[in-house]
Amino acid sequence: MPIVVIDPGHGGTDPGAVANGLQEKDLSLEIGLLVREKLESQYIVDARMTRESDTAVGLSTRASYANSIGADYFVSLHHNAGGGTGFESYVYPGTRNTETGRLQDVLHREIADFFAGFGLFDRGKKESNFAVVRETAMPAILLEHLFLDRTTDANFLKDESFIISLADAITRGIAQALSLQS
Ligand SMILES: [Zn+2]
């Protein structure tokens, strides 16, 4: 059975981005738990979490956990800040032409299509030397779901039905990328 590791960004003493009454660590955990539940209830897959509560977990610990269980895919969930708007995804530099990039194409498109339905901008498929995509031995992706410090983005993320639909889009994207059986 394929193993997917869901990695909610930040946690515990590290809130990540904080703006408009939202904390990145809370949103990433809420969405991560939803994605795990949806994956396991709809597909034949073993979905694991790097954290299941509001705790601090080191970046290397997250990656080594995925490596130790022989995960097939690592999906890190984040929210952006710093004065932009929209959605972007990241893989390790130089892996766009590998299986990692092929999975990014599929998952990114599914999530970007969901956001486009709300007029939210696709910032594109990118590369960055983030620890969790560098230190994982399997294909890995880091998703940045909108900007907490942009009021329009934040207002969507405050809407529970939007969060559930976003989790559905992430779940569909992972299932398509890995050709999971239902
Ligand atoms: Zn983050």
Side-chain angles (χ1 to χ4, degrees):
M1 189 185 314
I3 302 174
V4 177
V5 170
I6 307 296
D7 176 45
H10 311 278
T13 52
D14 168 21
V18 178
N20 285 306
L22 295 169
Q23 293 197 93
E24 185 181 358
K25 67 173 184 175
D26 296 334
L27 277 174
S28 65
L29 179 60
E30 180 184 2
I31 293 167
L33 291 168
L34 283 168
V35 169
R36 177 178 65 173
E37 191 273 329
K38 289 170 185 295
L39 277 173
E40 292 206 318
S41 64
Q42 296 171 35
Y43 300 97
I44 299 168
V45 63
D46 183 358
R48 309 284 189 95
M49 309 282 293
T50 55
R51 67 181 180 95
E52 299 176 58
S53 60
D54 184 17
T55 51
V57 181
L59 298 176
S60 294
T61 302
R62 297 168 192 249
S64 61
Y65 168 69
N67 295 343
S68 72
I69 61 172
D72 296 286
Y73 200 25
F74 184 95
V75 181
S76 191
L77 306 175
H78 289 257
H79 302 276
N80 235 326
T85 182
F87 164 66
E88 62 197 14
S89 67
Y90 288 91
V91 294
Y92 186 67
T95 63
R96 279 286 306 140
N97 291 324
T98 69
E99 177 71 359
T100 300
R102 190 192 68 75
L103 298 177
Q104 181 186 26
D105 287 345
V106 176
L107 179 52
H108 183 103
R109 183 189 330 114
E110 195 65 35
I111 299 170
D113 283 353
F114 164 75
F115 284 133
F118 295 89
L120 291 161
F121 185 57
D122 181 1
R123 303 170 63 85
K125 292 174 280 191
K126 303 184 178 184
E127 299 179 333
S128 186
N129 187 25
F130 292 129
V132 291
V133 299
R134 181 182 64 243
E135 297 181 15
T136 37
M138 71 293 307
I141 190 168
L142 188 145
L143 305 169
E144 293 276 7
H145 296 127
L146 310 182
F147 281 68
L148 298 191
D149 58 349
R150 174 65 66 104
T151 308
T152 46
D153 288 23
N155 284 342
F156 280 111
L157 294 170
K158 290 176 182 175
D159 179 345
E160 186 62 23
S161 66
F162 182 88
I163 291 292
I164 292 168
S165 297
L166 171 57
D168 281 327
I170 298 166
T171 302
R172 277 196 309 275
I174 292 171
Q176 283 179 26
L178 298 180
S179 299
L180 297 181
Q181 304 299 303
S182 54

